[in-house]
Structures are given as C-alpha cells and as structure tokens.
Amino acid sequence: MSIRRFDAIQTREVAHYYTRPRRRPTPHRAAKPLDDSDRSKLHTMQACMSMNAAAAPCIARQQNQLRAGARSAAAKAPAASRRLMSVRAANKEGWSDSTQAVHFGEREGRPRVSDSLTTPVVMTSTYTFKDTAELIAYQEGRYGSFEYGRYGNPTTRACEEKIRLLEGGEDCLVSASGMNSAICMLLSLVPAGGHIVTTTDCYRRTRQFIQTFLPKMGITSSVLDPSDYDGLEKALNEHECSIYFSESPTNPYLRCVDVGRIAALCKPKGCLVCIDGTFATPINFRPLTHGADLVIHSASKYFGGHNDVLAGCIVGNAEAIGKVRAFHNIMGGVIDPHAAYLVLRGLKTLSLRVARHNENAMRLAERLEAHPKIDRVHYPGLKSHPDHEVAVKYMTGFGGVVSFEVKGDLWATAKFIDSCKLPYIAPSLGGVESLIEQPTVVSYWDQGPEKRAAIGIKDNLVRMACGIEDYDDIESDILQALDQIPQL
C-alpha cells in the first residue's frame, strides 16, 4: 500500500472516530430524571464532541505533517550521519579549531571534478602523495601524477594535449611566453660552440637573443634571406649546424619558407628544423606534416585570441621536446594555470576566428594594393608577394596580418595611423580587435635610421593585424585615414 493511500485511510478513520453517532447503552432499569447537574455534564460532553468533530481535519493535517517530517528526516539521516562521521574521523587526532579550519573539508577527500564540462583551473604549487609507496611509484613512472608546479599542472597538460593534436606532434610544452619557448628550445638543443641558421626577417627579440646572447656561449649563426636555399646548403656544409630556425610567415614582411625543401637539406646533416608558426596557426599551416621537427608559437596571439594572456608553446618529436622540457624544469618560465585555461578556451574557437582573420586580411590587401597612396603591400596571398608560390604550396589561408608601405615619410605614415579610428595602436596580433602599428616607432625607435635601414625596417612601413570586425567597417576606416595624408 502506498504512503499516500495509507495516509488517506488514517485521516478518514480519525475523522470518523470523532464524528460517528454514539449509541446509548440499553437501559436495564428505568431512566433517572435529569437534574441540573446532569444537564450541565451533558452540555459539556456535547460541546466537547462538537469541538472534536471540528478539530478532526486539523488533526489529520498535523498527522500528515508529522509523517512528512518523519519521511524527510529519514531521507536526510544517512547524509547527516555521514557528515557527522566525517567530522569525527577528521578530528580523530583532537585537532584545535585553527587546525580544523586548515584541513576540514579537504583532507578526507576532494570533490569529483571529472564530470565538469569545462576543464577545471587547478591552482596549486605542489602535489601530495598518500604514502611513500605511491611516491616511489610516481618516480618510477608507474603512477601518473605531478610532483611540483614547475614540472606540470593538470590544466596546463590539457592545453598542451589540445595543441599537440592540432599540430600533429608527439609532445607539447606550454610555457609563460613565446620568447620563453624559443629561448628554452635554443639553449637546450644547441650545444656550446654550436651553430644555427636563421633568417633576416624575424621578430626583433629573437634576433637580439641569437646575435647578442648566444655568442657568449660560443654559439654562432648564419643569417640568410628566407629564400636563400643555396646559402643554407653552404652553411650546412661549412658548419655543424644544430638548428635551422625561421618564422613562416615572418614578421613583419610575411616571407614564407619552403619547409619541405629545407627539411630535405637539413635532415641528412642532423640539423633540426624549427618553424615559428605564430602568424599562420595550425589552421593555415602545419609545418610538422611537411618535414619540420619542431614548431613554436606565441600562444598570446591567435591561440588565446583575445589579447588577454601571455603564453608560448613548442610542439614536435618526443625526444626533442623531452630535452626542452628538462631544461624548462630547471629554468622556470612556467605558465600560470589560469593563463593556460585562457589559451585552452581560446583554442576552441581558433578555426572560426582564423577564417574571419584570413578573409578580412585578404580583402584588405587586395584593396590596398590598388590604392594610389600605397606604395607596396606585403601579403603572401597576393601574387605580387615574392613567396606567393611557396605560400600557396603549404598554406590553406594566408593569415590575418597585412603589412604595407604608405607613399610618404615617417610623419606622413604616423598621421595616417593617428587618423585610424577602428584599430588600436598596439604591438600585437591575433586578437579579436584590429591592431595597427608603425614598426619604426613601436619596435625599432631606439635603433636610429641607419640601423633600421640595415635590417630592412622602413619608416613608412605599417603592420595591420586584422581583427574579426565586419570587413566593411575595417575598409571604411582605413580609407578615411588614407584621405588624411597628402597625395604625393
């Protein structure tokens, strides 16, 4: 019988008990006439019967409430008992309030997070082991965990795995910045007295590290034009080269290197090929599938995608990444778990965003190439670009950055940039917002005109990192800004 059915029967019985007609006992003798006292008692009894009848529904309701309370208490009793047992177990040592505040709610077990839709941000600097046997199992590789925050983190590891799969590598290491990834790679894979080959057009800080710091370790370099394959072959024959390292596309002229051809030259000489794919992303170009050993990224750019995080990564064969990771464990440069989460989240929309970046940049490059106030446009998607055929060979899209030269001097170019209303003046790329910069001012102002000319940085050069805004708004703003400078 259901509880609801049982309650209904009980309520009906209670009501019937107080309201049923009372039968008088059969008199065995003649009834005695009622006096005033008897009449008073009779009235009292009748009043009580009337009150009981009126109270029956109320009593029934009270009984129902009592039953409901009992059922609720019965349901809650096991959880309450467990909590009480947990408290007693946690405090089996008789800990004080301050000690309890540190340990209670965590020491006897943490909440399960494996069923969380989003990857949890694990904010910890160290990891615990239940006993020495478990720690030894970890040290011997029989128990999967982490030891210390500098050596790994679950959130960071999830980010690394996603990047690894996107690039098609065997392993991935995420670090605090793109420069940290590049420096760890060079210091861990190039021996003292070694030699590297790199290209003329590259990020200034990378060139600065190669040309000013590495020589202190006796490491020399050959700096070649990105398309100088004969020069590469000559360097490989004359030096015991450890690494060929180039961006593709490069910064800021967006030169593209023939990775397959480079790998064919380097592999027989035991020289690793590392490509910085920041400007391309694995959505447009996957160097590892064309013979490269390693690929690095400034994950602050397209991977994060929102200009709100600093991060870097290196992906490639397990042996090389293992050496880089071992050095990284010593040097540091560890990414914060929350930063790793921001990169992880950004990667989920990478393909959607890059498609819009590609489209906006391609259309803008075509429009600028036909503009009378533009001297030259540098974009690998254009047939006029010196590496267009290489870009078409390897890339499915040409990226969101367009570099171009304004017809005018430094100050005419600055006036154009200052007249732009949509893009921010800022030195980065890959975010949802469009950014614009004059490399002479942003990155090379301290070099002076002669040094800038020596490394190919022109005063009228502009780098535009297209965001994901509506293209018509981007074009309209660039055109009105060009209208503000005089026609030469």
Side-chain angles (χ1 to χ4, degrees):
M1 181 183 296
S2 69
I3 294 176
R4 184 177 297 176
R5 174 67 175 162
F6 175 79
D7 288 348
I9 293 174
Q10 289 289 91
T11 301
R12 190 167 57 248
E13 289 178 352
V14 169
H16 176 68
Y17 176 82
Y18 287 107
T19 58
R20 71 182 189 276
R22 297 310 198 255
R23 291 186 303 169
R24 289 184 179 181
T26 304
H28 61 272
R29 61 178 182 266
K32 175 184 176 184
L34 297 176
D35 56 19
D36 292 339
S37 176
D38 293 333
R39 290 191 184 93
S40 176
K41 291 178 182 178
L42 178 59
H43 291 161
T44 300
M45 291 174 62
Q46 289 174 341
C48 288
M49 291 174 62
S50 178
M51 291 174 60
N52 290 338
C58 180
I59 293 171
R61 282 194 301 272
Q62 290 176 347
Q63 289 187 335
N64 288 338
Q65 291 172 357
L66 289 172
R67 292 190 185 95
R71 287 194 299 271
S72 176
K76 294 178 180 178
S81 298
R82 285 195 299 269
R83 285 195 295 271
L84 181 59
M85 291 171 62
S86 176
V87 169
R88 288 172 177 170
N91 203 26
K92 60 187 177 183
E93 305 297 335
W95 290 336
S96 66
D97 289 347
S98 60
T99 304
Q100 293 177 38
V102 172
H103 293 280
F104 274 20
E106 296 175 294
R107 194 175 185 89
E108 296 300 320
R110 311 295 173 95
R112 186 181 67 188
V113 296
S114 60
D115 52 0
S116 170
L117 176 62
T118 57
T119 299
V121 180
V122 181
M123 300 296 291
T124 187
S125 61
T126 192
Y127 302 86
T128 64
F129 298 87
K130 66 180 181 181
D131 51 35
T132 302
E134 188 174 84
L135 177 56
I136 292 174
Y138 164 78
Q139 299 288 11
E140 296 178 351
R142 295 179 287 104
Y143 175 72
S145 184
F146 300 94
E147 177 186 345
Y148 187 63
R150 194 169 70 251
Y151 309 146
N153 176 277
T155 308
T156 303
R157 192 59 195 151
C159 182
E160 291 171 340
E161 183 66 4
K162 190 180 290 287
I163 296 172
R164 181 190 74 79
L165 292 169
L166 283 171
E167 285 288 3
E170 295 176 355
D171 198 4
C172 172
L173 172 66
V174 171
S175 65
S177 69
M179 278 306 300
N180 183 267
S181 294
I183 290 172
C184 283
M185 181 268 295
L186 292 169
L187 291 181
S188 61
L189 299 179
V190 182
H195 190 85
I196 66 173
V197 179
T198 188
T199 53
T200 52
D201 190 34
C202 68
Y203 179 51
R204 180 191 174 185
R205 297 305 180 189
T206 305
R207 179 191 294 114
Q208 187 177 23
F209 181 75
I210 291 172
Q211 295 182 333
T212 64
F213 184 86
L214 290 183
K216 298 177 182 179
M217 302 174 61
I219 297 174
T220 56
S221 61
S222 297
V223 183
L224 309 174
D225 182 272
S227 60
D228 187 2
Y229 303 107
D230 291 338
L232 171 58
E233 188 172 12
K234 182 175 183 292
L236 289 169
N237 289 330
E238 294 180 353
H239 304 277
E240 191 168 337
C241 300
S242 300
I243 288 179
Y244 170 92
F245 180 38
S246 176
E247 301 164 5
S248 189
T250 61
N251 179 27
Y253 288 107
L254 307 173
R255 300 294 303 276
C256 298
V257 299
D258 190 330
V259 178
R261 185 174 178 180
I262 292 166
L265 292 171
C266 290
K267 293 295 179 69
K269 298 291 186 176
C271 178
L272 294 173
V273 176
C274 179
I275 301 297
D276 184 334
T278 298
F279 276 51
T281 80
I283 304 303
N284 290 327
F285 174 43
R286 296 183 181 182
L288 299 180
T289 64
H290 299 288
D293 300 288
L294 300 166
V295 58
I296 70 172
H297 290 273
S298 170
S300 315
K301 310 304 191 292
Y302 290 102
F303 282 12
H306 294 80
N307 292 314
D308 58 2
V309 63
L310 289 177
C313 67
I314 179 167
V315 192
N317 71 67
E319 181 181 359
I321 297 299
K323 294 178 180 178
V324 178
R325 189 184 296 276
F327 180 78
H328 181 261
N329 287 349
I330 298 170
M331 191 177 80
V334 180
I335 189 171
D336 177 79
H338 185 257
Y341 174 79
L342 291 177
V343 175
L344 182 68
R345 184 181 64 174
L347 288 167
K348 296 182 180 184
T349 59
L350 179 64
S351 180
L352 298 174
R353 289 184 286 104
V354 167
R356 188 61 172 264
H357 289 300
N358 289 343
E359 178 187 358
N360 284 346
M362 186 72 214
R363 294 178 67 182
L364 182 63
E366 292 173 337
R367 181 66 181 88
L368 289 173
E369 193 170 44
H371 198 282
K373 292 185 180 180
I374 298 300
D375 195 36
R376 186 177 181 184
V377 179
H378 303 270
Y379 188 68
L382 297 177
K383 291 182 180 180
S384 59
H385 192 276
D387 303 313
H388 176 66
E389 291 184 3
V390 174
V392 171
K393 179 180 178 181
Y394 291 105
M395 302 178 73
T396 58
F398 304 107
V401 176
V402 182
S403 294
F404 53 94
E405 299 169 31
V406 174
K407 286 184 178 179
D409 59 10
L410 186 151
W411 299 112
T413 306
K415 181 173 178 58
F416 157 71
I417 287 181
D418 290 344
S419 299
C420 292
K421 299 176 182 178
L422 189 150
Y424 293 93
I425 300 175
S428 194
L429 60 126
V432 294
E433 302 93 352
S434 289
L435 305 179
I436 196 166
E437 66 166 272
Q438 195 171 356
T440 289
V441 180
V442 171
S443 301
Y444 296 93
W445 190 251
D446 62 332
Q447 296 292 290
E450 293 182 359
K451 287 186 178 180
R452 290 197 296 267
I455 57 179
I457 300 299
K458 300 180 180 181
D459 288 348
N460 65 338
L461 180 66
V462 174
R463 194 187 77 176
M464 172 81 174
C466 295
I468 63 170
E469 300 95 345
D470 187 88
Y471 172 73
D472 291 338
D473 294 328
I474 295 175
E475 180 186 287
S476 176
D477 187 58
I478 295 298
L479 295 181
Q480 69 81 23
L482 286 170
D483 289 341
Q484 307 307 311
I485 59 177
Q487 180 75 49
L488 295 180

